[in-house]
Amino acid sequence: MADVVCYGALEWLVTLGAAETLYGHWGTGSTPASRSQGALIDPTTDEEAVSINPTTDSIGVSGYDDTIVCAFTMVCKTSPKTIREAGIYDDTPALLFRSQFTGYPVEVDDEITFIFRWRLK
């Protein structure tokens, strides 16, 4: 038996995402990402989450490789740190996506742009 996510689900997600503001944030936590996490492990407190709008990166939502894209840029405001995680929240705030990576050192005024893509094949 095979399970599939139907094109209607992608359409629903895009509609839902466009109807609300999402937020991106970064952190210094190094715990591997898991589906049970409700927040970043160690979000930075000296920078605020930034608001983002999801977009569709495709021609319609009924073709092969349709993608929902959420992108945001964070700027280091107060002190150097190593960024090891980033995530996207809704306004409740519930963590929708989390990425954990080796780490990127940032100095004051440095910025990182994060791009999250959810692709339906």
Side-chain angles (χ1 to χ4, degrees):
M1 177 183 300
D3 297 320
V4 296
V5 175
C6 298
Y7 291 122
L10 181 61
E11 209 168 274
W12 174 76
L13 285 169
V14 170
T15 302
L16 183 64
E20 68 176 292
T21 301
L22 299 178
Y23 299 90
H25 201 44
W26 66 8
T28 58
S30 59
T31 301
S34 88
R35 288 185 177 177
S36 63
Q37 292 166 333
L40 294 178
I41 300 301
D42 193 9
T44 60
T45 56
D46 49 346
E47 293 97 11
E48 293 184 21
V50 295
S51 116
I52 56 178
N53 293 357
T55 62
T56 55
D57 185 11
S58 64
I59 301 170
V61 291
S62 60
Y64 185 73
D65 279 347
D66 289 324
T67 306
I68 296 173
V69 178
C70 294
F72 64 95
T73 299
M74 295 288 296
V75 179
C76 181
K77 300 281 189 189
T78 60
S79 61
K81 57 187 73 67
T82 298
I83 302 304
R84 293 185 176 91
E85 61 180 338
I88 296 176
Y89 292 85
D90 67 8
D91 59 0
T92 61
L95 185 63
L96 305 175
F97 301 100
R98 178 176 181 255
S99 179
Q100 190 276 320
F101 39 88
T102 304
Y104 296 99
V106 293
E107 301 289 331
V108 174
D109 294 329
D110 285 353
E111 61 183 49
I112 298 176
T113 298
F114 299 95
I115 301 172
F116 286 76
R117 296 176 194 270
W118 187 72
R119 184 170 64 188
L120 180 64
K121 279 197 163 213

